[in-house]
C-alpha cells in the first residue's frame, strides 16, 4: 500500500481557508496524488505541531497568519526571498530530513497584479498599509519591479520606519504613520493588515488614491472586505481582494513541493464564479 503524500496549511483562524480546495484542484489538474488539510494551530502550539506533522510523515506545510515569522524560525535552510522577508509561508521536507523555508507571497502578489490584472508596478507610487509579516513577504518582490516609490504606513510609526530601513538598499522606500499620509497620493494601495476582515479600516485621509489608482487587499473573504469597499468608494480603477494572490502563491508552493507548475487561471476563474453564484 502506497502512503499518500500529506500537506497542510496551519493558521489561526483557518476555517475560511480555500487552500485545501486550491491544492486539490492543482492535484487533479496535474495528475498528482496527495492530501492537503487545514489545521487551526495557535502560535503557542506551532513549534510542537510542526514537529509532529513532519514526524508523522508530512511532506510540506503552508503557514498563514499569525505564524509566518514563527515558521521562519523553524526552517533549517531558507531561500533568499525568505531570508529577505524574515517570514516563511512554505515549509518543504528535504531528502536529508531538514526543512526548507520559502516565502511565496511576494511572487504570488506580483504575478496576480502584473499578469492577471495587467497592472504595471514600474514607476508607480505604491503604499503598503501595515508593517507585519504580510508586508515583509511582499516588499522585496515589489522593489524588484522598480516602483517610483514605496511607502509603508503603520499605526506604530517606529515599526514602519524600521521595516523600511531593512530594505532601503533595494530602492526608494520609507516608513511612516497614517497621519503622515495627508496630502499624498498613490497609484497602488496594498492592504497588508488583517483588520479589513473584521470590518475595520486604518484612518486613511481623503484624496489618498490617485486618479485611475488601484486598491488591493491581501486578504479575501466571501464578501468584499472593508478595504475593497473603501477602494470602490474612492473610485479606484480596480479594487481587488487577495484571492488571485492566494492561488498564485499556492501554485509556487505546489511547484516547490511537487516539481510541477499548475495552471492558475482556471482555478481563479472557478473560485470567482463560485463566489458570484453565492452572491
Amino acid at each position: 500500500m502506497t502512503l499518500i503524500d500529506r500537506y497542510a496549511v496551519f493558521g489561526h483562524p483557518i476555517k475560511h481557508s480555500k487552500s485545501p480546495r486550491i491544492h486539490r484542484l492543482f492535484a487533479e489538474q496535474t495528475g498528482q496524488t496527495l492530501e492537503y488539510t487545514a489545521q487551526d494551530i495557535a502560535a503557542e502550539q506551532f513549534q510542537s505541531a510542526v514537529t509532529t506533522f513532519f514526524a508523522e510523515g508530512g511532506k510540506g506545510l503552508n503557514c498563514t497568519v499569525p505564524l509566518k515569522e514563527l515558521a521562519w524560525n523553524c526552517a533549517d535552510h531558507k531561500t533568499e526571498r525568505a531570508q529577505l522577508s524574515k517570514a516563511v509561508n512554505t515549509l518543504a521536507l528535504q531528502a536529508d530530513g531538514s526543512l526548507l523555508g520559502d516565502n511565496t507571497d511576494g511572487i504570488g502578489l506580483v504575478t496576480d497584479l502584473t499578469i492577471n490584472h495587467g497592472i504595471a508596478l514600474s514607476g508607480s507610487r505604491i503604499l503598503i498599509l501595515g508593517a507585519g509579516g504580510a508586508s515583509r513577504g511582499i516588499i522585496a518582490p515589489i522593489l524588484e519591479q522598480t516602483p517610483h516609490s514605496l511607502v509603508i504606513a503603520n499605526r506604530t510609526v517606529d515599526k514602519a520606519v524600521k521595516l523600511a530601513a531593512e530594505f532601503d538598499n533595494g530602492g526608494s522606500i520609507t516608513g511612516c504613520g497614517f497621519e503622515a499620509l495627508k496630502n499624498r497620493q498613490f497609484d497602488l494601495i496594498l492592504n497588508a493588515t488583517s483588520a479589513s476582515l473584521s470590518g475595520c479600516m486604518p484612518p486613511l485621509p481623503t484624496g489618498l488614491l490617485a486618479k485611475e489608482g488601484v486598491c488591493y487587499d491581501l486578504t479575501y473573504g466571501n464578501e468584499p472586505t472593508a478595504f475593497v469597499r473603501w477602494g470602490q468608494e474612492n473610485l479606484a480603477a480596480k479594487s481587488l481582494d487577495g484571492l488571485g494572490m492566494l492561488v498564485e502563491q499556492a501554485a509556487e508552493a505546489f511547484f516547490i513541493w511537487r516539481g510541477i507548475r499548475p495552471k492558475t487561471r482556471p482555478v481563479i476563474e472557478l473560485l470567482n464564479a463560485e463566489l458570484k453564484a453565492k452572491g
Side-chain angles (χ1 to χ4, degrees), residues 13 28 32 40 42 55 57 77 95 97 101 107-108 113 129 134 148 172 175 180 184 195-196 208 231:
E28 288 168 16
Q32 301 281 300
D40 195 313
H77 320 285
I107 189 68
L113 285 168
L129 306 175
H148 174 272
S172 173
R184 300 190 68 175
S196 179
L208 191 63

Side-chain angles (χ1 to χ4, degrees), residues 200-264:
C200 300
M201 277 288 298
L204 301 179
T206 55
L208 191 63
L209 188 65
K211 192 176 181 192
E212 297 301 309
V214 172
C215 289
Y216 191 106
D217 198 332
L218 271 63
T219 58
Y220 65 93
N222 291 329
E223 301 290 330
T225 66
F227 181 71
V228 168
R229 293 198 304 273
W230 182 89
Q232 293 165 343
E233 290 160 8
N234 284 270
L235 306 179
K238 294 182 178 182
S239 193
L240 307 163
D241 70 11
L243 185 63
M245 173 183 171
L246 176 75
V247 175
E248 293 295 347
Q249 66 80 24
E252 191 74 12
F254 192 90
F255 176 71
I256 291 163
W257 293 330
R258 310 299 296 181
I260 186 166
R261 195 176 291 280
K263 291 184 175 69
T264 55

Side-chain angles (χ1 to χ4, degrees), residues 5 8 10 49-50 54 88 106 121 134 170 226 236 243 278:
D5 288 346
F10 285 3
V50 169
F54 286 107
V88 158
L121 303 186
L243 185 63
K278 278 183 189 171

Side-chain angles (χ1 to χ4, degrees), residues 65-66 92 96 120 132 186 193 197 208 218:
V65 175
D96 64 359
F186 297 90
T193 74
L197 276 178
L208 191 63
L218 271 63

Side-chain angles (χ1 to χ4, degrees), residues 15-236:
K15 67 179 180 183
H16 72 287
S17 177
K18 289 181 167 50
S19 292
R21 178 87 192 288
I22 291 166
H23 282 277
R24 279 196 293 274
L25 291 168
F26 286 164
E28 288 168 16
Q29 182 197 113
T30 57
Q32 301 281 300
T33 302
L34 57 86
E35 176 189 272
Y36 187 109
T37 58
Q39 298 185 32
D40 195 313
I41 305 291
E44 55 271 19
Q45 305 168 300
F46 181 70
Q47 182 70 60
S48 62
V50 169
T51 302
T52 300
F53 179 80
F54 286 107
E56 292 178 350
K59 299 289 185 184
L61 275 179
N62 285 138
C63 305
T64 185
V65 175
L67 307 172
K68 294 178 185 183
E69 278 117 327
L70 294 175
W72 193 85
N73 291 324
C74 280
D76 301 304
H77 320 285
K78 301 170 189 80
T79 63
E80 185 181 358
R81 55 194 180 191
Q83 289 280 15
L84 282 167
S85 64
K86 293 190 173 60
V88 158
N89 77 334
T90 303
L91 290 167
L93 184 67
Q94 303 299 285
D96 64 359
S98 64
L99 291 181
L100 174 70
D102 200 351
N103 192 312
T104 66
D105 283 334
I107 189 68
L109 171 66
V110 169
T111 301
D112 193 41
L113 285 168
T114 60
I115 305 298
N116 299 337
H117 295 290
I119 297 163
L121 303 186
S122 179
S124 293
R125 298 164 296 173
I126 300 176
L127 170 65
I128 297 176
L129 306 175
S135 299
R136 280 193 167 279
I138 63 175
I139 292 170
I142 288 172
L143 288 174
E144 285 171 9
Q145 299 291 309
T146 63
H148 174 272
S149 58
L150 179 59
V151 175
I152 304 165
N154 194 59
R155 285 186 195 277
T156 309
V157 180
D158 191 46
K159 197 173 177 187
V161 171
K162 281 182 178 172
L163 183 56
E166 286 184 43
F167 292 87
D168 67 0
N169 61 344
S172 173
I173 179 169
T174 53
C176 66
F178 293 119
E179 67 286 346
L181 297 174
K182 282 178 186 167
N183 303 316
R184 300 190 68 175
Q185 283 200 321
F186 297 90
D187 305 301
L188 172 62
I189 304 177
L190 301 164
N191 178 40
T193 74
S194 56
S196 179
L197 276 178
S198 54
C200 300
M201 277 288 298
L204 301 179
T206 55
L208 191 63
L209 188 65
K211 192 176 181 192
E212 297 301 309
V214 172
C215 289
Y216 191 106
D217 198 332
L218 271 63
T219 58
Y220 65 93
N222 291 329
E223 301 290 330
T225 66
F227 181 71
V228 168
R229 293 198 304 273
W230 182 89
Q232 293 165 343
E233 290 160 8
N234 284 270
L235 306 179

